[in-house]
Amino acid sequence: MYKAFGKRLIDVVLSGIGILVLLIPMLIIALIIKIDSPGKVFFTQERVGIHKKPFKILKFRSMRTDTPHDMPTHMLSNPDAYITKFGKWMRKMSVDELPQILCIFIGTMTIIGPRPALFNQEDLLRERDKYGANDVKPGLTGLAQIRGRDELPIDVKAALDGEYVQKMSFLFDAKLFFSTILSVLRSDGVVEGARAPEKEEVAK
């Protein structure tokens, strides 16, 4: 019942509340982005959704508009040169991910689930296939995000995504939700540049 109906109901209710509560803060963030760096406020990109179907992810732009497009951050020779001043703080606190509550509300994402991969992350997608992790909705946060985030090698990340698929339940999701809040406040596992083995974001 939870996987079929309860999880989606919670997604709609919590994301709807989140949109109302965060509307003013998000407008303020959008204004700061415009002041801090010329360009669009939002960054959109095609990602891998449930059953490997494409969908558009939405983020606050945290990098300059001249950043090489469709290149993972860890492949940039000097990512700090492209990340904006305000963008660095947003990425550290995961504030750039907030617009994804709209993706959750419309149903292309869920609150808890494997982070949506890029289509060129073929090694990660292959590993996830072993665990059925490509057959659930991608999430705003997940087990891998509180177990290491950017610091995890691909095979470990995929195994954790598979572990989540096996353990998915209301209580497990609630545990991961509150653990994520603590992880974000501590900036656990945030790594930029060459040290990041599988940083998913690209030019923003």
Side-chain angles (χ1 to χ4, degrees), residues 58-119:
L58 185 66
K59 295 187 176 190
F60 281 126
R61 181 177 60 85
S62 63
M63 302 185 79
R64 293 177 356 207
T65 55
D66 62 342
T67 306
H69 193 60
D70 288 333
M71 181 179 290
T73 307
H74 73 279
M75 293 183 66
L76 297 172
S77 59
N78 185 12
D80 284 338
Y82 294 101
I83 300 173
T84 64
K85 292 180 180 178
F86 187 59
K88 188 172 184 179
W89 175 82
M90 286 196 298
R91 291 163 76 94
K92 180 179 180 181
M93 301 303 297
S94 297
V95 170
D96 57 323
E97 312 283 359
L98 284 180
Q100 288 165 46
I101 59 176
L102 297 172
C103 299
I104 295 170
F105 189 75
I106 65 175
T108 54
M109 289 181 63
T110 183
I111 296 174
I112 309 294
R115 282 296 295 162
L118 293 161
F119 275 93

Coordinates of all heavy atoms in Angstrom, one line a residue, residues 58-119:
L58 N 14.9 20.4 -12.3 CA 15.0 21.9 -12.1 C 15.8 22.2 -10.9 O 15.6 21.6 -9.9 CB 13.5 22.4 -12.0 CG 13.3 23.9 -11.9 CD1 13.7 24.6 -13.2 CD2 11.9 24.3 -11.5
K59 N 16.7 23.2 -11.1 CA 17.6 23.6 -10.0 C 17.8 25.1 -10.1 O 17.6 25.7 -11.2 CB 19.0 22.9 -10.1 CG 19.0 21.4 -9.9 CD 20.4 20.9 -9.8 CE 20.5 19.5 -9.5 NZ 21.8 19.0 -9.2
F60 N 18.2 25.7 -9.0 CA 18.7 27.1 -9.0 C 20.1 27.0 -9.7 O 20.9 26.2 -9.4 CB 18.8 27.7 -7.6 CG 17.5 28.2 -7.1 CD1 17.1 27.7 -5.8 CD2 16.8 29.1 -7.7 CE1 15.9 28.2 -5.3 CE2 15.6 29.5 -7.2 CZ 15.1 29.1 -6.0
R61 N 20.4 28.0 -10.6 CA 21.7 28.0 -11.3 C 22.8 28.4 -10.3 O 22.7 29.5 -9.6 CB 21.6 29.0 -12.4 CG 23.0 29.1 -13.2 CD 22.8 30.1 -14.4 NE 22.5 31.4 -14.0 CZ 23.4 32.3 -13.6 NH1 24.7 32.0 -13.5 NH2 23.0 33.5 -13.2
S62 N 23.8 27.6 -10.1 CA 24.9 27.9 -9.2 C 26.2 28.1 -9.9 O 27.2 28.3 -9.2 CB 25.0 26.8 -8.2 OG 25.4 25.5 -8.8
M63 N 26.2 28.0 -11.2 CA 27.5 28.2 -12.0 C 27.3 29.2 -13.1 O 26.2 29.6 -13.5 CB 27.9 26.9 -12.6 CG 28.1 25.8 -11.6 SD 28.8 24.2 -12.3 CE 30.5 24.6 -12.4
R64 N 28.4 29.8 -13.5 CA 28.4 30.8 -14.6 C 27.8 30.2 -15.9 O 27.9 29.0 -16.1 CB 29.8 31.3 -14.8 CG 30.3 32.1 -13.7 CD 31.7 32.6 -13.9 NE 32.4 32.2 -15.1 CZ 33.7 32.0 -15.3 NH1 34.5 32.3 -14.2 NH2 34.2 31.7 -16.4
T65 N 27.2 31.1 -16.7 CA 26.6 30.7 -17.9 C 27.6 30.2 -19.0 O 27.3 29.5 -20.0 CB 25.8 31.8 -18.5 OG1 26.6 33.0 -18.7 CG2 24.6 32.1 -17.6
D66 N 28.9 30.5 -18.8 CA 29.9 30.1 -19.8 C 30.6 28.8 -19.4 O 31.6 28.4 -20.0 CB 31.0 31.2 -19.9 CG 31.8 31.5 -18.6 OD1 31.3 31.1 -17.6 OD2 32.9 32.1 -18.7
T67 N 30.0 28.1 -18.4 CA 30.6 26.8 -18.0 C 30.3 25.8 -19.1 O 29.2 25.8 -19.7 CB 29.9 26.3 -16.7 OG1 30.0 27.3 -15.7 CG2 30.5 25.0 -16.2
P68 N 31.3 24.9 -19.4 CA 31.0 23.9 -20.5 C 29.8 23.1 -20.2 O 29.6 22.6 -19.1 CB 32.3 23.1 -20.4 CG 33.4 24.0 -19.9 CD 32.6 24.9 -18.9
H69 N 28.9 23.0 -21.2 CA 27.6 22.4 -20.9 C 27.7 20.9 -21.0 O 28.5 20.3 -21.7 CB 26.6 22.9 -22.0 CG 25.2 22.5 -21.7 ND1 24.5 23.0 -20.6 CD2 24.3 21.7 -22.4 CE1 23.3 22.5 -20.6 NE2 23.1 21.8 -21.6
D70 N 26.8 20.2 -20.2 CA 26.7 18.8 -20.1 C 28.1 18.1 -19.7 O 28.3 17.0 -20.1 CB 26.3 18.2 -21.5 CG 24.8 18.5 -21.7 OD1 24.1 18.6 -20.7 OD2 24.4 18.6 -22.9
M71 N 28.8 18.8 -18.9 CA 30.1 18.2 -18.4 C 30.0 18.1 -16.9 O 29.7 19.1 -16.2 CB 31.3 19.0 -18.8 CG 32.6 18.5 -18.3 SD 34.1 19.4 -18.7 CE 34.1 19.1 -20.5
P72 N 30.1 16.9 -16.3 CA 30.0 16.8 -14.9 C 31.0 17.7 -14.2 O 32.1 17.8 -14.7 CB 30.3 15.3 -14.6 CG 29.9 14.6 -15.9 CD 30.2 15.6 -17.0
T73 N 30.6 18.2 -13.0 CA 31.5 19.1 -12.3 C 32.9 18.6 -12.0 O 33.9 19.3 -12.1 CB 30.8 19.5 -11.0 OG1 29.5 20.0 -11.2 CG2 31.6 20.6 -10.3
H74 N 33.0 17.3 -11.7 CA 34.3 16.7 -11.3 C 35.2 16.6 -12.5 O 36.4 16.4 -12.3 CB 34.1 15.3 -10.7 CG 33.7 14.2 -11.6 ND1 32.4 14.0 -12.1 CD2 34.4 13.3 -12.3 CE1 32.4 13.0 -12.9 NE2 33.6 12.5 -13.0
M75 N 34.7 16.8 -13.8 CA 35.6 16.7 -15.0 C 36.1 18.1 -15.3 O 37.0 18.2 -16.2 CB 34.8 16.1 -16.1 CG 34.4 14.6 -15.9 SD 33.5 13.9 -17.4 CE 34.9 14.0 -18.6
L76 N 35.6 19.1 -14.7 CA 36.2 20.4 -14.9 C 37.5 20.6 -14.3 O 37.7 20.1 -13.2 CB 35.2 21.5 -14.4 CG 33.8 21.6 -15.0 CD1 33.0 22.6 -14.3 CD2 33.9 22.0 -16.5
S77 N 38.5 21.2 -15.0 CA 39.8 21.3 -14.4 C 39.9 22.2 -13.2 O 40.7 22.0 -12.3 CB 40.8 21.9 -15.5 OG 40.3 23.2 -15.9
N78 N 39.0 23.2 -13.1 CA 38.9 24.1 -12.0 C 37.5 24.5 -11.7 O 37.1 25.6 -12.1 CB 39.8 25.3 -12.2 CG 39.9 26.2 -11.0 OD1 39.5 25.8 -9.9 ND2 40.4 27.4 -11.2
P79 N 36.7 23.6 -11.1 CA 35.3 23.9 -11.0 C 35.0 25.2 -10.2 O 34.0 25.9 -10.4 CB 34.7 22.7 -10.2 CG 35.9 22.1 -9.6 CD 37.0 22.3 -10.5
D80 N 35.9 25.5 -9.2 CA 35.7 26.7 -8.4 C 35.7 28.0 -9.2 O 35.1 29.0 -8.8 CB 36.8 26.8 -7.3 CG 36.5 25.9 -6.2 OD1 35.4 25.5 -6.0 OD2 37.5 25.6 -5.5
A81 N 36.3 27.9 -10.4 CA 36.4 29.1 -11.3 C 35.0 29.4 -11.9 O 34.8 30.5 -12.4 CB 37.4 28.9 -12.4
Y82 N 34.2 28.3 -12.0 CA 32.9 28.5 -12.6 C 31.7 28.6 -11.6 O 30.7 29.2 -12.0 CB 32.6 27.2 -13.5 CG 33.5 27.1 -14.7 CD1 34.6 26.2 -14.6 CD2 33.3 27.8 -15.8 CE1 35.5 26.1 -15.7 CE2 34.2 27.7 -16.9 CZ 35.2 26.8 -16.8 OH 36.1 26.7 -17.9
I83 N 31.9 28.1 -10.4 CA 30.8 28.3 -9.4 C 30.8 29.7 -8.9 O 31.8 30.3 -8.6 CB 31.1 27.3 -8.2 CG1 31.1 25.9 -8.7 CG2 30.0 27.5 -7.2 CD1 31.6 24.9 -7.6
T84 N 29.6 30.3 -8.9 CA 29.4 31.7 -8.5 C 29.6 31.8 -7.0 O 29.5 30.7 -6.3 CB 28.0 32.2 -8.9 OG1 27.0 31.4 -8.2 CG2 27.7 32.1 -10.4
K85 N 29.7 33.0 -6.5 CA 29.9 33.2 -5.0 C 28.7 32.6 -4.3 O 28.9 31.9 -3.3 CB 30.2 34.6 -4.7 CG 31.5 35.2 -5.3 CD 31.6 36.7 -4.9 CE 32.9 37.2 -5.5 NZ 33.1 38.7 -5.2
F86 N 27.6 33.1 -4.7 CA 26.3 32.6 -4.0 C 26.1 31.1 -4.3 O 25.6 30.4 -3.5 CB 25.1 33.4 -4.5 CG 23.9 33.2 -3.7 CD1 23.8 33.3 -2.3 CD2 22.7 32.7 -4.3 CE1 22.7 33.1 -1.6 CE2 21.6 32.5 -3.6 CZ 21.5 32.6 -2.2
G87 N 26.5 30.7 -5.5 CA 26.3 29.3 -5.9 C 27.1 28.3 -5.0 O 26.6 27.2 -4.7
K88 N 28.3 28.8 -4.5 CA 29.1 27.9 -3.7 C 28.3 27.6 -2.4 O 28.3 26.5 -1.9 CB 30.4 28.6 -3.4 CG 31.4 27.7 -2.6 CD 32.8 28.4 -2.6 CE 33.8 27.5 -1.9 NZ 35.1 28.1 -1.9
W89 N 27.7 28.7 -1.8 CA 26.9 28.5 -0.6 C 25.7 27.6 -0.9 O 25.4 26.7 -0.1 CB 26.5 29.8 0.0 CG 25.6 29.7 1.2 CD1 26.0 29.5 2.5 CD2 24.2 29.7 1.2 NE1 24.9 29.4 3.3 CE2 23.8 29.5 2.5 CE3 23.2 29.9 0.2 CZ2 22.4 29.5 2.9 CZ3 21.9 29.9 0.6 CH2 21.5 29.7 1.9
M90 N 25.0 27.8 -2.0 CA 23.8 27.1 -2.3 C 24.2 25.6 -2.4 O 23.4 24.7 -1.9 CB 23.2 27.5 -3.6 CG 22.5 28.9 -3.5 SD 21.4 29.1 -4.9 CE 22.6 29.2 -6.3
R91 N 25.3 25.3 -3.1 CA 25.7 23.9 -3.3 C 26.1 23.2 -1.9 O 25.7 22.1 -1.7 CB 26.8 23.8 -4.3 CG 26.4 24.1 -5.7 CD 27.5 24.4 -6.6 NE 28.2 23.3 -7.0 CZ 28.0 22.6 -8.2 NH1 27.1 23.0 -9.0 NH2 28.7 21.6 -8.5
K92 N 26.8 24.0 -1.1 CA 27.2 23.5 0.2 C 26.0 23.1 1.1 O 25.9 22.1 1.7 CB 28.0 24.5 0.9 CG 28.5 24.0 2.3 CD 29.4 25.1 2.9 CE 29.9 24.6 4.3 NZ 30.7 25.6 5.0
M93 N 24.9 23.9 1.0 CA 23.7 23.7 1.8 C 22.6 23.0 1.0 O 21.5 22.9 1.5 CB 23.2 25.1 2.3 CG 24.2 25.9 3.2 SD 24.8 24.9 4.6 CE 23.3 24.7 5.5
S94 N 22.9 22.6 -0.2 CA 21.9 22.0 -1.1 C 20.7 22.8 -1.4 O 19.6 22.3 -1.8 CB 21.5 20.6 -0.5 OG 22.5 19.7 -0.4
V95 N 20.8 24.1 -1.3 CA 19.7 25.1 -1.6 C 19.4 25.1 -3.1 O 18.3 25.3 -3.5 CB 20.1 26.5 -1.1 CG1 19.1 27.5 -1.6 CG2 20.2 26.5 0.4
D96 N 20.4 24.8 -3.9 CA 20.2 24.8 -5.4 C 19.2 23.7 -5.8 O 18.6 23.7 -6.8 CB 21.5 24.6 -6.1 CG 22.2 23.3 -5.7 OD1 22.2 23.0 -4.5 OD2 22.9 22.7 -6.6
E97 N 18.9 22.7 -4.9 CA 18.0 21.6 -5.2 C 16.6 21.9 -4.9 O 15.7 21.2 -5.2 CB 18.4 20.4 -4.4 CG 19.9 20.0 -4.4 CD 20.3 19.3 -5.7 OE1 19.4 19.1 -6.6 OE2 21.5 19.0 -5.8
L98 N 16.3 23.0 -4.2 CA 15.0 23.3 -3.7 C 13.9 23.3 -4.8 O 12.8 22.9 -4.6 CB 14.9 24.7 -3.0 CG 15.5 24.7 -1.6 CD1 15.4 26.1 -1.0 CD2 14.8 23.7 -0.7
P99 N 14.2 23.9 -6.0 CA 13.1 23.9 -7.0 C 12.6 22.5 -7.4 O 11.6 22.4 -8.1 CB 13.8 24.6 -8.2 CG 14.8 25.4 -7.6 CD 15.4 24.7 -6.5
Q100 N 13.3 21.5 -7.0 CA 12.9 20.1 -7.3 C 11.6 19.7 -6.6 O 11.0 18.7 -6.9 CB 14.0 19.1 -7.1 CG 15.1 19.2 -8.1 CD 16.4 18.5 -7.7 OE1 16.4 17.4 -7.2 NE2 17.5 19.2 -7.8
I101 N 11.2 20.5 -5.6 CA 9.9 20.2 -5.0 C 8.8 20.3 -6.0 O 7.7 19.7 -5.9 CB 9.6 21.1 -3.8 CG1 9.6 22.6 -4.1 CG2 10.6 20.9 -2.7 CD1 9.2 23.5 -3.0
L102 N 9.0 21.1 -7.1 CA 8.0 21.2 -8.2 C 8.0 19.9 -8.9 O 6.9 19.4 -9.3 CB 8.4 22.4 -9.1 CG 8.3 23.8 -8.5 CD1 8.8 24.8 -9.4 CD2 6.9 24.1 -8.1
C103 N 9.2 19.3 -9.1 CA 9.2 18.0 -9.8 C 8.5 16.9 -9.0 O 7.9 16.0 -9.5 CB 10.7 17.6 -10.0 SG 11.7 18.7 -11.1
I104 N 8.7 17.0 -7.7 CA 8.0 16.1 -6.8 C 6.5 16.2 -6.8 O 5.8 15.3 -6.9 CB 8.5 16.2 -5.3 CG1 10.0 15.9 -5.2 CG2 7.7 15.4 -4.3 CD1 10.7 16.3 -3.9
F105 N 6.1 17.5 -6.8 CA 4.6 17.8 -6.9 C 4.0 17.2 -8.1 O 2.8 16.7 -8.1 CB 4.4 19.3 -6.7 CG 3.0 19.6 -6.5 CD1 2.3 19.4 -5.3 CD2 2.2 20.2 -7.6 CE1 1.0 19.8 -5.1 CE2 0.9 20.5 -7.4 CZ 0.3 20.3 -6.2
I106 N 4.6 17.4 -9.3 CA 4.0 16.9 -10.5 C 4.2 15.4 -10.7 O 3.6 14.8 -11.6 CB 4.5 17.7 -11.7 CG1 6.0 17.4 -12.0 CG2 4.3 19.2 -11.6 CD1 6.6 18.1 -13.2
G107 N 5.1 14.8 -10.0 CA 5.2 13.3 -10.0 C 6.4 12.8 -10.8 O 6.5 11.5 -10.9
T108 N 7.3 13.6 -11.3 CA 8.5 13.0 -12.0 C 9.6 12.6 -11.0 O 10.5 11.9 -11.4 CB 9.1 14.1 -13.0 OG1 9.4 15.3 -12.3 CG2 8.1 14.3 -14.1
M109 N 9.5 13.1 -9.8 CA 10.5 12.8 -8.7 C 9.7 12.4 -7.4 O 8.5 12.7 -7.4 CB 11.5 13.9 -8.4 CG 12.5 14.1 -9.5 SD 13.7 15.5 -9.1 CE 14.5 14.8 -7.7
T110 N 10.4 11.9 -6.5 CA 9.9 11.6 -5.2 C 10.8 12.2 -4.1 O 11.9 12.7 -4.4 CB 9.7 10.1 -4.9 OG1 9.1 9.9 -3.7 CG2 11.1 9.4 -5.0
I111 N 10.3 12.3 -2.9 CA 11.2 12.9 -1.8 C 12.4 12.0 -1.5 O 13.5 12.5 -1.5 CB 10.4 13.2 -0.6 CG1 9.3 14.2 -0.8 CG2 11.3 13.7 0.6 CD1 8.3 14.4 0.4
I112 N 12.1 10.8 -1.3 CA 13.2 9.8 -1.0 C 13.4 8.8 -2.1 O 12.4 8.1 -2.5 CB 12.9 9.1 0.3 CG1 12.6 10.0 1.4 CG2 14.1 8.2 0.7 CD1 13.7 11.0 1.8
G113 N 14.6 8.7 -2.7 CA 14.9 7.8 -3.8 C 16.3 8.0 -4.3 O 16.9 8.9 -3.9
P114 N 16.7 7.1 -5.2 CA 18.1 7.3 -5.8 C 18.1 8.7 -6.5 O 17.2 9.1 -7.2 CB 18.2 6.2 -6.8 CG 17.2 5.2 -6.3 CD 16.1 6.0 -5.7
R115 N 19.2 9.4 -6.4 CA 19.4 10.7 -7.0 C 19.3 10.5 -8.6 O 19.9 9.5 -9.1 CB 20.7 11.4 -6.7 CG 20.7 12.0 -5.3 CD 19.7 13.2 -5.3 NE 20.0 14.3 -6.2 CZ 19.2 15.2 -6.6 NH1 17.9 15.2 -6.2 NH2 19.6 16.2 -7.4
P116 N 18.6 11.3 -9.3 CA 18.5 11.2 -10.8 C 19.9 11.3 -11.5 O 20.6 12.3 -11.3 CB 17.6 12.3 -11.2 CG 17.7 13.3 -10.1 CD 17.9 12.5 -8.8
A117 N 20.2 10.3 -12.3 CA 21.5 10.3 -13.0 C 21.4 11.0 -14.3 O 20.3 11.2 -14.9 CB 21.9 8.8 -13.2
L118 N 22.6 11.4 -14.8 CA 22.7 11.9 -16.2 C 22.7 10.7 -17.1 O 23.1 9.6 -16.8 CB 24.0 12.7 -16.4 CG 24.1 14.0 -15.6 CD1 25.6 14.4 -15.5 CD2 23.3 15.1 -16.3
F119 N 22.2 10.9 -18.4 CA 22.2 9.8 -19.3 C 23.6 9.4 -19.7 O 23.8 8.2 -20.2 CB 21.4 10.2 -20.6 CG 19.9 10.0 -20.4 CD1 19.1 11.0 -20.0 CD2 19.3 8.8 -20.7 CE1 17.7 10.9 -19.8 CE2 18.0 8.6 -20.5 CZ 17.2 9.6 -20.1

